[in-house]
Amino acid sequence: MFYFIIDILGTIAFAISGVLVAMNKRLDIFGVFIIAFVTAVGGGTLRDVLIGNTPVLWMKEPVYITVIAVTVVFSVIFVKQLKYLRKTLFLFDTIGIGLFTMLGIEKGLAVDLLPVMCIALGTITACFGGVIRDMLCNEIPVIFRRKEIYATACILGGSSYFLFIRLPFDGAYAYIAAILIIITVRLLAVKFRIALPDIYGKGKG
Amino acid sequence: MFYFIIDILGTIAFAISGVLVAMNKRLDIFGVFIIAFVTAVGGGTLRDVLIGNTPVLWMKEPVYITVIAVTVVFSVIFVKQLKYLRKTLFLFDTIGIGLFTMLGIEKGLAVDLLPVMCIALGTITACFGGVIRDMLCNEIPVIFRRKEIYATACILGGSSYFLFIRLPFDGAYAYIAAILIIITVRLLAVKFRIALPDIYGKGKG
Amino acid sequence: MFYFIIDILGTIAFAISGVLVAMNKRLDIFGVFIIAFVTAVGGGTLRDVLIGNTPVLWMKEPVYITVIAVTVVFSVIFVKQLKYLRKTLFLFDTIGIGLFTMLGIEKGLAVDLLPVMCIALGTITACFGGVIRDMLCNEIPVIFRRKEIYATACILGGSSYFLFIRLPFDGAYAYIAAILIIITVRLLAVKFRIALPDIYGKGKG
């Protein structure tokens, strides 16, 4: 139940991010819905397709399409008010990538993938909805450009999970600890403006 | 046989639409062929991948690649004459989305999806070839932008199918009725310039 | 072992081509890695997804992600020196598409596809990593635009394979002969500036 609520909050945060990008591009209501949908479930869909877990999750669980449809309606109506929710949405998004990463890792373990592939799968689950959103909106994906600690937080948290499960604790603790690490890394990076190293360098590029 | 002919006519119309977009972007002959191919079979391919119906349909039925190759050759040679066929192509395209929507719904029912997911799958079959075409041509997909009643017609027709099959008629009637509704909605929308509601509003955006 | 080395050299050449495109777009280090990765394994991934060969190959063989990660690190550090390797990289790339085409054809034969579909699958394996790379970098895929003999070489070599296996020789010869034909066609086309026929024509377009 607890995880379910996080899952829904993350889905809402992702869908709203899709609505905002789509409305910024002046898409019509169908386009706004598709972009919101793809942002929210695209990462999990890509994950399911890559491991052959089909029909993909959202087709089997109508809760996602329902939540996203309601989110789109409210977001379009109250789009001006959304800016006052920026911090809340950022928090939902951050909690969302934490959970989504671990959901992806679980799916990878279920098909016997190596830890490194599970971490990749978790990162895809958390981050590639936004990548598909940006591709559809004719932009280079934002997580490839901004040097933000976003996917990196997922990779760090996912890696720590595979360290934790070697410790003599219950697996559930490792799961929660990994989610908390993802959230913490992301929050600290934003708070202290920590970025990925620059690979171009001044005067060198 | 009847459905087969509609399927081929729809495929031809979709392939020609791909040729026109690709030539407008001045792609080379290989690019024109790929864009035509993707426009015609991309929706069905995405559908098959999402439900795990692999190898995807066009790999098992060589009729599609053959029809598309012939269509591309003729379209490239007679590209100037194509403008005189605009109304015919529009009609083929409209009949095509009607049939493709129902083909997608059938595939969804075959894997026990809920009605709402079958309708989504039908709409993907009919409309997402064009979405992939536009992504490859570096454009925001046209069906997300123009407020046209296109995907909406597929959704309405698909929904009506699930109403009709509850009525005491043969399922084949429901199938044909749904196709006719999609075609009619699309034709009326174009004829009377009915569009999706504007979500931006003057002076508000 | 021999094929394995070619596979790795091709993967390195593809990854480097991804690094160069990504750095040209000034992506961050995460973006550079993803683009390199997608360029190298994207074609094989699309192939595996289309035929339902999941989890896709790179998830089961950690050698690819390792080779690509090392390639990215070295490429980013020695990016200025890469220009001196242009001819070597071109050669690796050419050998790579030869092998990748035949790997794709093998996979198609393994799921009983028709020769024409196997050739399509081989071409997808060899060429569509670059297509996905260009989509992610917000460009119309370069192989659709330049009239280069690139995919065409794969198609010719793949087709010749299905002629050769009818001859009274061992299948392994046909395999190697097809790879050599792809490499030769590509090298000759570049050397003698042979291009795809122009479909626009001067003054006509």
Side-chain angles (χ1 to χ4, degrees):
Chain A
M1 189 60 196
F2 173 67
Y3 289 129
F4 179 73
I5 291 170
I6 298 185
D7 191 359
I8 296 306
L9 291 181
T11 301
I12 291 172
F14 279 38
I16 292 177
S17 117
V19 169
L20 294 175
V21 173
M23 291 188 75
N24 201 33
K25 290 275 177 179
R26 309 288 291 179
L27 300 191
D28 63 31
I29 182 67
F30 178 73
V32 169
F33 174 73
I34 296 292
I35 299 297
F37 191 78
V38 158
T39 310
V41 305
T45 301
L46 181 56
R47 171 201 68 211
D48 286 343
V49 165
L50 290 175
I51 60 174
N53 192 5
T54 52
V56 298
L57 186 63
W58 64 264
M59 291 203 167
K60 290 183 285 197
E61 302 283 355
V63 63
Y64 297 107
I65 203 169
T66 313
V67 165
I68 295 165
V70 172
T71 303
V72 168
V73 170
F74 277 87
S75 303
V76 168
I77 295 174
F78 298 109
V79 65
K80 285 187 158 181
Q81 282 71 39
L82 280 177
K83 64 182 170 218
Y84 301 114
L85 290 174
R86 240 176 44 192
K87 281 195 177 171
T88 313
L89 288 173
F90 170 73
L91 203 68
F92 285 4
D93 183 277
T94 302
I95 299 171
I97 60 168
L99 182 68
F100 291 168
T101 302
M102 290 313 299
L103 289 175
I105 285 176
E106 269 189 308
K107 301 265 178 182
L109 287 171
V111 291
D112 287 324
L113 294 181
L114 289 171
V116 63
M117 299 307 166
C118 293
I119 297 165
L121 213 51
T123 308
I124 288 171
T125 307
C127 303
F128 273 62
V131 169
I132 305 174
R133 171 198 68 206
D134 294 342
M135 286 177 82
L136 283 169
C137 289
N138 207 14
E139 297 282 349
I140 294 179
V142 66
I143 63 162
F144 296 173
R145 287 189 279 132
R146 290 248 196 96
K147 295 191 285 181
E148 271 187 86
I149 304 291
Y150 192 93
T152 315
C154 302
I155 295 168
L156 288 176
S159 306
S160 66
Y161 175 72
F162 287 97
L163 292 178
F164 294 155
I165 50 173
R166 297 188 174 189
L167 301 177
F169 293 114
D170 189 82
Y173 291 115
Y175 197 92
I176 290 170
I179 293 178
L180 291 177
I181 284 178
I182 297 169
I183 295 172
T184 310
V185 169
R186 173 79 178 136
L187 291 180
L188 290 177
V190 171
K191 174 125 189 114
F192 297 105
R193 294 167 195 264
I194 301 163
L196 291 174
D198 186 18
I199 54 174
Y200 297 98
K202 275 176 197 149
K204 267 205 232 162
Chain B
M1 188 62 197
F2 173 68
Y3 290 128
F4 179 72
I5 292 170
I6 298 185
D7 191 358
I8 297 306
L9 291 182
T11 301
I12 292 172
F14 279 38
I16 292 177
S17 117
V19 169
L20 294 176
V21 173
M23 290 189 77
N24 200 33
K25 291 274 176 180
R26 309 289 289 180
L27 300 190
D28 63 31
I29 182 67
F30 177 72
V32 169
F33 174 73
I34 296 293
I35 299 297
F37 191 78
V38 158
T39 309
V41 306
T45 301
L46 181 56
R47 172 202 66 209
D48 286 344
V49 165
L50 290 175
I51 60 175
N53 192 4
T54 52
V56 298
L57 187 62
W58 64 265
M59 290 202 168
K60 290 184 286 195
E61 302 283 356
V63 63
Y64 296 107
I65 203 168
T66 313
V67 165
I68 295 165
V70 172
T71 302
V72 168
V73 170
F74 277 87
S75 303
V76 168
I77 296 175
F78 299 109
V79 66
K80 285 187 160 181
Q81 283 70 39
L82 279 177
K83 64 181 170 220
Y84 302 114
L85 289 175
R86 241 178 42 194
K87 283 197 176 169
T88 312
L89 288 173
F90 169 72
L91 204 67
F92 285 4
D93 182 278
T94 303
I95 299 171
I97 61 167
L99 182 68
F100 292 168
T101 302
M102 290 313 300
L103 289 174
I105 286 176
E106 269 189 306
K107 301 265 179 182
L109 288 170
V111 290
D112 286 323
L113 295 182
L114 289 172
V116 62
M117 300 306 167
C118 293
I119 296 165
L121 212 50
T123 307
I124 287 171
T125 307
C127 302
F128 273 61
V131 169
I132 305 174
R133 172 199 66 207
D134 293 343
M135 285 175 83
L136 283 169
C137 289
N138 207 16
E139 297 283 350
I140 294 179
V142 66
I143 64 162
F144 296 173
R145 287 188 279 132
R146 290 246 196 98
K147 294 192 285 180
E148 271 187 84
I149 304 290
Y150 192 92
T152 316
C154 303
I155 295 167
L156 288 175
S159 306
S160 66
Y161 175 72
F162 286 97
L163 292 177
F164 294 154
I165 49 172
R166 297 188 174 189
L167 300 177
F169 293 114
D170 188 81
Y173 290 115
Y175 197 91
I176 291 171
I179 294 179
L180 291 177
I181 285 178
I182 296 170
I183 296 172
T184 310
V185 169
R186 172 77 179 139
L187 291 180
L188 290 177
V190 170
K191 175 124 188 112
F192 297 106
R193 295 167 194 264
I194 302 163
L196 291 173
D198 186 19
I199 53 174
Y200 298 98
K202 276 177 195 147
K204 267 204 234 163
Chain C
M1 188 62 197
F2 174 67
Y3 289 129
F4 179 73
I5 292 170
I6 298 186
D7 191 359
I8 296 306
L9 290 182
T11 301
I12 292 172
F14 279 39
I16 292 176
S17 117
V19 169
L20 293 175
V21 173
M23 289 188 77
N24 201 32
K25 291 276 176 178
R26 310 287 292 180
L27 299 190
D28 64 30
I29 182 67
F30 177 72
V32 170
F33 173 73
I34 295 293
I35 299 296
F37 191 78
V38 158
T39 309
V41 306
T45 301
L46 181 55
R47 173 201 66 211
D48 286 343
V49 165
L50 290 175
I51 60 174
N53 192 4
T54 51
V56 297
L57 186 63
W58 64 264
M59 290 201 168
K60 290 183 287 196
E61 302 285 354
V63 62
Y64 296 107
I65 204 168
T66 313
V67 166
I68 295 165
V70 172
T71 302
V72 169
V73 170
F74 277 87
S75 302
V76 168
I77 296 175
F78 298 108
V79 66
K80 285 187 160 183
Q81 282 70 39
L82 279 177
K83 64 182 170 218
Y84 302 113
L85 289 175
R86 241 178 42 192
K87 283 197 176 171
T88 312
L89 288 173
F90 170 72
L91 204 66
F92 284 6
D93 183 277
T94 303
I95 299 171
I97 61 168
L99 181 68
F100 292 169
T101 302
M102 290 313 299
L103 289 175
I105 286 177
E106 269 189 307
K107 301 264 179 184
L109 288 171
V111 290
D112 286 323
L113 295 181
L114 288 172
V116 62
M117 300 307 167
C118 293
I119 297 166
L121 212 51
T123 308
I124 288 171
T125 307
C127 303
F128 273 63
V131 169
I132 306 174
R133 171 199 66 208
D134 293 342
M135 286 176 82
L136 284 170
C137 289
N138 207 16
E139 297 283 349
I140 294 180
V142 66
I143 65 161
F144 296 174
R145 287 188 278 131
R146 292 248 196 97
K147 295 192 285 180
E148 271 187 84
I149 305 290
Y150 192 91
T152 315
C154 302
I155 294 168
L156 288 176
S159 306
S160 65
Y161 175 72
F162 286 97
L163 292 177
F164 294 154
I165 51 173
R166 296 188 174 189
L167 300 176
F169 293 114
D170 189 81
Y173 290 116
Y175 197 91
I176 291 170
I179 294 180
L180 291 177
I181 285 178
I182 296 170
I183 295 172
T184 310
V185 170
R186 173 78 178 139
L187 291 180
L188 290 177
V190 170
K191 174 122 189 118
F192 298 106
R193 294 166 195 265
I194 301 163
L196 290 174
D198 187 18
I199 54 174
Y200 297 98
K202 276 175 195 150
K204 268 204 234 163

PDB file of all heavy atoms in Angstrom, chain C residues 69-84:
ATOM      1  N   ALA C  69      31.816   1.308 -22.169  1.00  0.00           N
ATOM      2  CA  ALA C  69      32.201   2.225 -21.086  1.00  0.00           C
ATOM      3  C   ALA C  69      33.676   2.599 -21.211  1.00  0.00           C
ATOM      4  O   ALA C  69      34.040   3.783 -21.124  1.00  0.00           O
ATOM      5  CB  ALA C  69      31.907   1.585 -19.725  1.00  0.00           C
ATOM      6  N   VAL C  70      34.533   1.603 -21.449  1.00  0.00           N
ATOM      7  CA  VAL C  70      35.967   1.872 -21.597  1.00  0.00           C
ATOM      8  C   VAL C  70      36.206   2.759 -22.824  1.00  0.00           C
ATOM      9  O   VAL C  70      36.987   3.728 -22.769  1.00  0.00           O
ATOM     10  CB  VAL C  70      36.760   0.548 -21.713  1.00  0.00           C
ATOM     11  CG1 VAL C  70      38.219   0.822 -22.054  1.00  0.00           C
ATOM     12  CG2 VAL C  70      36.649  -0.246 -20.409  1.00  0.00           C
ATOM     13  N   THR C  71      35.524   2.439 -23.918  1.00  0.00           N
ATOM     14  CA  THR C  71      35.672   3.239 -25.139  1.00  0.00           C
ATOM     15  C   THR C  71      35.295   4.692 -24.901  1.00  0.00           C
ATOM     16  O   THR C  71      35.986   5.608 -25.372  1.00  0.00           O
ATOM     17  CB  THR C  71      34.775   2.661 -26.267  1.00  0.00           C
ATOM     18  OG1 THR C  71      35.138   1.304 -26.487  1.00  0.00           O
ATOM     19  CG2 THR C  71      34.939   3.448 -27.552  1.00  0.00           C
ATOM     20  N   VAL C  72      34.190   4.914 -24.163  1.00  0.00           N
ATOM     21  CA  VAL C  72      33.735   6.277 -23.906  1.00  0.00           C
ATOM     22  C   VAL C  72      34.784   7.035 -23.098  1.00  0.00           C
ATOM     23  O   VAL C  72      35.137   8.175 -23.436  1.00  0.00           O
ATOM     24  CB  VAL C  72      32.368   6.284 -23.183  1.00  0.00           C
ATOM     25  CG1 VAL C  72      32.028   7.677 -22.667  1.00  0.00           C
ATOM     26  CG2 VAL C  72      31.278   5.792 -24.127  1.00  0.00           C
ATOM     27  N   VAL C  73      35.304   6.401 -22.046  1.00  0.00           N
ATOM     28  CA  VAL C  73      36.308   7.076 -21.214  1.00  0.00           C
ATOM     29  C   VAL C  73      37.508   7.487 -22.065  1.00  0.00           C
ATOM     30  O   VAL C  73      37.924   8.655 -22.055  1.00  0.00           O
ATOM     31  CB  VAL C  73      36.754   6.157 -20.047  1.00  0.00           C
ATOM     32  CG1 VAL C  73      37.967   6.746 -19.339  1.00  0.00           C
ATOM     33  CG2 VAL C  73      35.596   5.960 -19.073  1.00  0.00           C
ATOM     34  N   PHE C  74      38.056   6.542 -22.834  1.00  0.00           N
ATOM     35  CA  PHE C  74      39.220   6.863 -23.659  1.00  0.00           C
ATOM     36  C   PHE C  74      38.895   7.889 -24.746  1.00  0.00           C
ATOM     37  O   PHE C  74      39.695   8.787 -25.023  1.00  0.00           O
ATOM     38  CB  PHE C  74      39.810   5.593 -24.277  1.00  0.00           C
ATOM     39  CG  PHE C  74      40.722   4.865 -23.343  1.00  0.00           C
ATOM     40  CD1 PHE C  74      40.219   3.931 -22.448  1.00  0.00           C
ATOM     41  CD2 PHE C  74      42.088   5.146 -23.309  1.00  0.00           C
ATOM     42  CE1 PHE C  74      41.059   3.279 -21.556  1.00  0.00           C
ATOM     43  CE2 PHE C  74      42.934   4.501 -22.424  1.00  0.00           C
ATOM     44  CZ  PHE C  74      42.419   3.561 -21.542  1.00  0.00           C
ATOM     45  N   SER C  75      37.716   7.774 -25.344  1.00  0.00           N
ATOM     46  CA  SER C  75      37.359   8.698 -26.431  1.00  0.00           C
ATOM     47  C   SER C  75      37.222  10.125 -25.925  1.00  0.00           C
ATOM     48  O   SER C  75      37.622  11.073 -26.591  1.00  0.00           O
ATOM     49  CB  SER C  75      36.037   8.284 -27.079  1.00  0.00           C
ATOM     50  OG  SER C  75      36.115   6.984 -27.570  1.00  0.00           O
ATOM     51  N   VAL C  76      36.620  10.259 -24.730  1.00  0.00           N
ATOM     52  CA  VAL C  76      36.425  11.602 -24.195  1.00  0.00           C
ATOM     53  C   VAL C  76      37.781  12.231 -23.843  1.00  0.00           C
ATOM     54  O   VAL C  76      38.020  13.407 -24.114  1.00  0.00           O
ATOM     55  CB  VAL C  76      35.472  11.560 -22.970  1.00  0.00           C
ATOM     56  CG1 VAL C  76      35.486  12.883 -22.226  1.00  0.00           C
ATOM     57  CG2 VAL C  76      34.057  11.212 -23.420  1.00  0.00           C
ATOM     58  N   ILE C  77      38.667  11.407 -23.276  1.00  0.00           N
ATOM     59  CA  ILE C  77      39.996  11.928 -22.910  1.00  0.00           C
ATOM     60  C   ILE C  77      40.821  12.266 -24.161  1.00  0.00           C
ATOM     61  O   ILE C  77      41.444  13.323 -24.240  1.00  0.00           O
ATOM     62  CB  ILE C  77      40.763  10.897 -22.040  1.00  0.00           C
ATOM     63  CG1 ILE C  77      40.021  10.690 -20.715  1.00  0.00           C
ATOM     64  CG2 ILE C  77      42.205  11.367 -21.788  1.00  0.00           C
ATOM     65  CD1 ILE C  77      40.622   9.602 -19.839  1.00  0.00           C
ATOM     66  N   PHE C  78      40.791  11.348 -25.132  1.00  0.00           N
ATOM     67  CA  PHE C  78      41.647  11.538 -26.312  1.00  0.00           C
ATOM     68  C   PHE C  78      40.858  12.003 -27.534  1.00  0.00           C
ATOM     69  O   PHE C  78      41.207  11.665 -28.665  1.00  0.00           O
ATOM     70  CB  PHE C  78      42.379  10.228 -26.620  1.00  0.00           C
ATOM     71  CG  PHE C  78      43.284   9.779 -25.513  1.00  0.00           C
ATOM     72  CD1 PHE C  78      42.964   8.683 -24.727  1.00  0.00           C
ATOM     73  CD2 PHE C  78      44.459  10.483 -25.234  1.00  0.00           C
ATOM     74  CE1 PHE C  78      43.808   8.282 -23.691  1.00  0.00           C
ATOM     75  CE2 PHE C  78      45.298  10.083 -24.204  1.00  0.00           C
ATOM     76  CZ  PHE C  78      44.976   8.983 -23.427  1.00  0.00           C
ATOM     77  N   VAL C  79      39.825  12.814 -27.290  1.00  0.00           N
ATOM     78  CA  VAL C  79      38.945  13.201 -28.399  1.00  0.00           C
ATOM     79  C   VAL C  79      39.698  13.927 -29.515  1.00  0.00           C
ATOM     80  O   VAL C  79      39.401  13.756 -30.698  1.00  0.00           O
ATOM     81  CB  VAL C  79      37.745  14.037 -27.881  1.00  0.00           C
ATOM     82  CG1 VAL C  79      38.198  15.375 -27.334  1.00  0.00           C
ATOM     83  CG2 VAL C  79      36.701  14.199 -28.965  1.00  0.00           C
ATOM     84  N   LYS C  80      40.709  14.730 -29.131  1.00  0.00           N
ATOM     85  CA  LYS C  80      41.444  15.468 -30.151  1.00  0.00           C
ATOM     86  C   LYS C  80      42.281  14.548 -31.033  1.00  0.00           C
ATOM     87  O   LYS C  80      42.496  14.816 -32.216  1.00  0.00           O
ATOM     88  CB  LYS C  80      42.370  16.493 -29.490  1.00  0.00           C
ATOM     89  CG  LYS C  80      41.617  17.693 -28.969  1.00  0.00           C
ATOM     90  CD  LYS C  80      42.588  18.739 -28.481  1.00  0.00           C
ATOM     91  CE  LYS C  80      41.912  20.106 -28.409  1.00  0.00           C
ATOM     92  NZ  LYS C  80      42.856  21.145 -27.998  1.00  0.00           N
ATOM     93  N   GLN C  81      42.761  13.460 -30.403  1.00  0.00           N
ATOM     94  CA  GLN C  81      43.595  12.526 -31.160  1.00  0.00           C
ATOM     95  C   GLN C  81      42.752  11.655 -32.104  1.00  0.00           C
ATOM     96  O   GLN C  81      43.288  11.061 -33.037  1.00  0.00           O
ATOM     97  CB  GLN C  81      44.383  11.611 -30.198  1.00  0.00           C
ATOM     98  CG  GLN C  81      45.597  12.281 -29.570  1.00  0.00           C
ATOM     99  CD  GLN C  81      45.208  13.346 -28.562  1.00  0.00           C
ATOM    100  OE1 GLN C  81      44.260  13.188 -27.800  1.00  0.00           O
ATOM    101  NE2 GLN C  81      45.923  14.470 -28.566  1.00  0.00           N
ATOM    102  N   LEU C  82      41.431  11.580 -31.831  1.00  0.00           N
ATOM    103  CA  LEU C  82      40.584  10.674 -32.628  1.00  0.00           C
ATOM    104  C   LEU C  82      40.611  10.998 -34.117  1.00  0.00           C
ATOM    105  O   LEU C  82      40.457  10.131 -34.959  1.00  0.00           O
ATOM    106  CB  LEU C  82      39.138  10.705 -32.127  1.00  0.00           C
ATOM    107  CG  LEU C  82      38.851   9.845 -30.886  1.00  0.00           C
ATOM    108  CD1 LEU C  82      37.405  10.023 -30.454  1.00  0.00           C
ATOM    109  CD2 LEU C  82      39.136   8.380 -31.168  1.00  0.00           C
ATOM    110  N   LYS C  83      40.848  12.264 -34.435  1.00  0.00           N
ATOM    111  CA  LYS C  83      40.816  12.627 -35.851  1.00  0.00           C
ATOM    112  C   LYS C  83      41.932  11.954 -36.646  1.00  0.00           C
ATOM    113  O   LYS C  83      41.784  11.688 -37.833  1.00  0.00           O
ATOM    114  CB  LYS C  83      40.822  14.148 -36.046  1.00  0.00           C
ATOM    115  CG  LYS C  83      42.048  14.838 -35.571  1.00  0.00           C
ATOM    116  CD  LYS C  83      41.911  16.358 -35.787  1.00  0.00           C
ATOM    117  CE  LYS C  83      43.042  17.070 -35.086  1.00  0.00           C
ATOM    118  NZ  LYS C  83      42.640  18.323 -34.454  1.00  0.00           N
ATOM    119  N   TYR C  84      43.027  11.639 -35.929  1.00  0.00           N
ATOM    120  CA  TYR C  84      44.117  10.931 -36.622  1.00  0.00           C
ATOM    121  C   TYR C  84      43.755   9.473 -36.897  1.00  0.00           C
ATOM    122  O   TYR C  84      44.438   8.787 -37.633  1.00  0.00           O
ATOM    123  CB  TYR C  84      45.411  10.991 -35.801  1.00  0.00           C
ATOM    124  CG  TYR C  84      45.843  12.396 -35.530  1.00  0.00           C
ATOM    125  CD1 TYR C  84      45.840  12.915 -34.239  1.00  0.00           C
ATOM    126  CD2 TYR C  84      46.234  13.234 -36.580  1.00  0.00           C
ATOM    127  CE1 TYR C  84      46.231  14.226 -33.990  1.00  0.00           C
ATOM    128  CE2 TYR C  84      46.617  14.543 -36.335  1.00  0.00           C
ATOM    129  CZ  TYR C  84      46.607  15.035 -35.047  1.00  0.00           C
ATOM    130  OH  TYR C  84      46.978  16.331 -34.824  1.00  0.00           O
TER     131      TYR C  84
END
